[in-house]
Structures are given as C-alpha cells and as structure tokens.
Amino acid sequence: MIVVKFGGTSVGDTAAIDRLAEIVRSRQPRRPIVVVSAMGGATNALLAIAEQASDGQLISAIRGVEALRERHLSTAEELLRDAPELEDLTGELSATFDELASLAEALSVLGHATARSRDAIAAKGEILSSLLVTAALRTRGIPAEHVEASAVMITNDQYGRAEPRQERIAEAAQRTFRPLVERGLVPIVGGYVGATELGIVTTLGRGGSDYSAALFGAALGAEAIEIWTDVDGMLTADPRVVQGARLIERIRFDEASELASFGAKVLHPSTITPAVRLGIPVYIYNARKPDGRGTLITFDAPKRAVTALAGKQGVTVLRVRSPRMLLQHGFLRTLFDVFDRHRTSVDVVATSEVTVSVTVDDATHLDSLVVDLSQLGDVSVERNRGIVAIVGAGLGDSSEAMSRALAAIRAMRVHMLSLSASGINLTMLVDGDKVSEAMRLLHEEFFPGAAA
C-alpha cells in the first residue's frame, strides 16, 4: 500500500488530471490511496471570497464564487464529456458552490470572518477537487472511491492551523481506507481538510495536504509516500533564484526537514515528521515528467558536508535585553513561554549574557509579542531580514565548509550566525534584499559550474 499525493498544479486543469489518472493507473498494483490538493489557485480565491464577504463586498465575493464554479464545471465537462457520471458530478459540484455562496452571504451579514468560518470556506477547494478527480478516474476505468476527509482527519479546534489527533486518525484510516483498498478500490481524499471530534470542519494550514498524506501513510504503515508536484524533486537551491540548481536524487530525512523549514517550497515542513517516525520513504516527483528520477528522502542517503541551500525573506528579528538574565536560571523558559502563548515559532536563536535575539517569519502576533516581551526587558524589532540556510549532514564534522560559506559572502553583513544543535544546518541572517545574491554566491562555492 502506498500514499500518492497530488498538488494543486497536478489537478489544475484537464490535461493535469489526465496525467494524474495515468500515474494512478501505473500505481494500481501497489494499492494506492490518493490525496489531492485544491485546484491551483483555488484556496487563495476561496480565502479572498471570505475576506470580501466579511468586508461587505458581497457582489465581489459572489463573482468569485461564480468564477470558481465555471472553472470546475468546465473542467468536469472536458474530463467526462458525455459520460453518464457527468450529471451526478455537476450536481454535486453545483450543490457545493451553492453552499459556498450561502456562506459568503452569511459572512456579509455578520460583517466579520472568524477562523472557523474561514476554514469552512477554504476547505471547499479540496472537497471540490477530490470529487472531480474521483469521477475522472472512474470514467477512465480506475475504480475510484471518494472519501470525506473530515471522516478520517480528526483534529483539535485550532481553526486555520489545526493539530491532528494522530491516534484517532490511525483508527479512522484503518476503518475507512483499508476495507476499500482490500476490495481493489482506489480511495480519493482531499488533503488539508479535517474535522473536530464534533464534526466541525478545520484545516491544517497552508501546505497541509502534504501533511495529510504523511499522516495517512503513517496510520496505515504504507510502504512509501509519493508527492507529485511541478518540480523535478528537491534541488540544491531554489531554481527561481539560482540558475542551474541540481537535482538531489537521495537526501536524508533530517536534511529534507531542515530545508523545508527554512524555505524550500517542495514540501510542507511537517510532512517529514510522521514518515521519519516509522521510516517510511518519501518520494518527490514531477507530474509533468512521470518518468523522471525524482528525489528519494530516506535514512540511508549519502552524508555530505553541503547537500543544499535554502533561503527566505520577510524575517523579523526580536532582541530582548535584560540585566535579569545574568546568572538567573529559568529566564529563557519564561521568554519562550511568551512565544508559545502567541503560537509563534522561532527559527534562529542567539544569546549573550544579557540579550536574547530570535527570528520569526510569522509576524501575525508581533505587536502583542512585543507587549508581553517588554515585561522581561527592553525589546527592539528589526524587520526586512532574510535567512540563508546551508544544510548538510556532514556540515558539523569539520569547520571547512563553514569557513568557505563565510568567505563566499564576506562582502555582506551577517547579523546572526547559528549552527544547529544537530550540526547539519548553518543559518545566516542577512539583509532581506541580499538573500538571492547570497544564495547564488554560496551555490557557486559549493556546486561550481552548475549554472553553466
């Protein structure tokens, strides 16, 4: 049994879903469970509908609903043509859009969108795409069976970024998926979407479809998880930034997780965790090139000093200066409790005798963070920074690679420097507008001639 996940571009139009069908057909002997994202761009459009409706722009919101309706219905007609299933599918899709329009009208009356109501709207993207893919596969001779994600992905009620209940998911997955697979059917389920114990719809946050696939794979003890996207696999750098970035055919779990956390867009950072726990290999393939080699994420990949680079902009630095830190135990715990209360993750940490500096890339709760941190000391905020991460399982074995990295960007100001506790990630904080240049210089240093 394998779990096969398709991203938004892999379900984005008729041609993409045709390719998806052939990939699933080739995997049938391995008993696949298929997880799909919303059609490319649909989630952004749905969130815009929620925002417009709650701001009183109901006409704009309804126009957005109708544009999505037309896109899905026209794709359905192209995929199914004169198949008998077309009428049932268009009926299901239309009913979902009618419900979406009703939600938009309700938000317009209320004049306010809660995290719960946003989830109710955002979840429609995966519901629609999973219905569409199920019908398309059936008309192509693949015995697909639609599964409601809310019946399997059980979460808490932290709307917008719900935490999965892994034990409950394992029970539901065994009860729901396994009987279908054993009957020779191919379950189709939307990623990203879940529900509370009371059945209230939630979402796992952006990129959560990858997480869904990994959780289902772990719950079922899958032999592999395949993530089909629009890139060839994991590369030595972001190809939009570095010309000639190279494919990494095998990469270690810990390296892939670090790269995902520090800006690599191929997969969601949380994807790796359930797979690592059970040692389930994760493959990344390009749906446009199904015969490509892709990337295998596994325990036994080669150990390299530098495997790849990642970078991200829009980083904010918070510096807390407090003489109370000096020789006082428990201060750091108190400080990080503040970040925990505000549900804000910290990427990089640097400390001195009386100062702690941390970076965050989610500034949603920045103002309230500063207020609470001010109870501990003087707080300063630096915006528009960027992070460049150099990742390699063998990075910490010697100082050579780190020395070369600093020499390569010696003309740039480095605001913070941190080697991870595991020794596989050297993180450099630079000015936000220097991230791309730093990435190119470092790539040429460690992968010379790649752009040729």
Side-chain angles (χ1 to χ4, degrees), residues 252-259 272 276 297-298 391 393 422 424:
R252 297 162 67 99
F253 277 118
D254 51 1
E255 293 175 326
S257 184
E258 290 286 332
L259 289 167
I272 300 300
V276 168
I297 306 173
T298 182
V391 175
S422 59
I424 72 166

Side-chain angles (χ1 to χ4, degrees), residues 53-381:
S54 61
D55 285 346
Q57 303 173 45
L58 181 59
I59 293 176
S60 296
I62 296 300
R63 283 175 180 163
V65 172
E66 293 309 311
L68 281 175
R69 187 196 299 264
E70 172 59 27
R71 180 182 178 189
H72 284 78
L73 290 178
S74 62
T75 302
E77 291 172 1
E78 291 171 4
L79 285 166
L80 274 63
R81 300 190 182 277
D82 298 324
E85 294 88 350
L86 179 58
E87 185 176 350
D88 287 343
L89 176 61
T90 54
E92 286 184 282
L93 296 178
S94 292
T96 303
F97 281 110
D98 290 345
E99 184 181 346
L100 180 59
S102 296
L103 286 170
E105 290 171 4
L107 284 183
S108 179
V109 172
L110 291 172
H112 174 65
T114 64
R116 175 174 166 174
S117 61
R118 288 192 190 94
D119 272 4
I121 288 177
K124 299 299 184 190
E126 273 71 13
I127 293 169
L128 291 160
S129 66
S130 57
L131 290 169
L132 195 58
V133 168
T134 301
L137 294 183
R138 284 177 178 168
T139 59
R140 285 154 178 76
I142 298 170
E145 185 74 17
H146 185 258
V147 174
E148 293 285 351
S150 57
V152 191
M153 181 60 66
I154 313 302
T155 74
N156 67 4
D157 61 358
Q158 188 181 328
Y159 301 104
R161 195 177 292 178
E163 290 292 331
R165 305 288 197 197
Q166 297 196 29
E167 289 185 4
R168 295 283 287 110
I169 292 167
E171 295 169 2
Q174 291 288 347
R175 183 176 62 250
T176 305
F177 290 130
R178 192 168 292 280
L180 297 175
V181 171
E182 289 176 351
R183 287 163 48 200
L185 302 176
V186 179
I188 312 295
V189 61
Y192 174 66
V193 178
T196 66
E197 299 277 1
L198 298 176
I200 302 168
V201 171
T202 60
T203 68
L204 304 184
R206 302 307 293 268
S209 290
D210 290 348
Y211 197 13
S212 295
L215 287 163
F216 293 149
L220 295 163
E223 66 179 76
I225 297 165
E226 295 182 355
I227 296 176
W228 290 83
T229 181
D230 57 357
V231 296
D232 292 341
M234 297 199 77
L235 306 178
T236 49
D238 186 338
R240 296 167 297 183
V241 176
V242 177
Q243 183 182 1
R246 300 171 180 173
L247 177 68
I248 307 167
E249 292 191 31
R250 294 172 69 91
I251 188 170
R252 297 162 67 99
F253 277 118
D254 51 1
E255 293 175 326
S257 184
E258 290 286 332
L259 289 167
S261 297
F262 282 88
K265 301 299 184 185
V266 176
L267 48 81
H268 187 275
S270 299
T271 299
I272 300 300
T273 307
V276 168
R277 185 164 49 84
L278 296 179
I280 300 172
V282 178
Y283 294 84
I284 301 172
Y285 293 117
N286 189 340
R288 294 180 180 273
K289 302 176 184 177
D291 296 326
R293 293 171 295 180
T295 295
L296 168 60
I297 306 173
T298 182
F299 278 120
D300 58 357
K303 187 177 183 180
R304 312 175 186 91
V306 178
T307 296
L309 312 173
K312 59 183 174 182
Q313 297 174 311
V315 174
T316 300
V317 183
L318 290 165
R319 301 189 192 275
V320 182
R321 185 179 186 280
S322 174
R324 286 183 288 164
M325 279 183 63
L326 191 63
L327 302 177
Q328 180 178 330
H329 71 275
F331 182 88
L332 290 178
R333 182 182 63 189
T334 303
L335 183 141
F336 286 112
D337 279 346
V338 175
F339 289 92
D340 183 56
R341 288 200 304 274
H342 292 282
R343 299 188 181 280
T344 300
S345 297
V346 170
D347 284 332
V348 185
V349 180
T351 65
S352 68
E353 291 294 336
V354 294
T355 304
V356 180
S357 301
V358 302
T359 70
V360 298
D361 60 6
D362 179 2
T364 305
H365 305 293
L366 184 61
D367 291 342
S368 54
L369 269 171
V370 170
V371 170
D372 285 359
L373 289 172
S374 296
Q375 305 302 311
L376 303 178
D378 297 327
V379 181
S380 62
V381 178

Side-chain angles (χ1 to χ4, degrees), residues 353-432:
E353 291 294 336
V354 294
T355 304
V356 180
S357 301
V358 302
T359 70
V360 298
D361 60 6
D362 179 2
T364 305
H365 305 293
L366 184 61
D367 291 342
S368 54
L369 269 171
V370 170
V371 170
D372 285 359
L373 289 172
S374 296
Q375 305 302 311
L376 303 178
D378 297 327
V379 181
S380 62
V381 178
E382 299 174 14
R383 295 178 172 82
N384 301 319
R385 301 294 188 224
I387 283 176
V388 178
I390 302 168
V391 175
L395 181 65
D397 292 347
S398 75
S399 59
E400 180 186 355
M402 291 181 276
S403 299
R404 289 171 60 190
L406 288 170
I409 61 167
R410 57 185 173 273
M412 292 183 189
R413 182 180 178 186
V414 177
H415 300 275
M416 287 173 62
L417 187 69
S418 175
L419 179 65
S420 67
S422 59
I424 72 166
N425 183 355
L426 181 67
T427 306
M428 296 183 284
L429 186 75
V430 298
D431 292 332

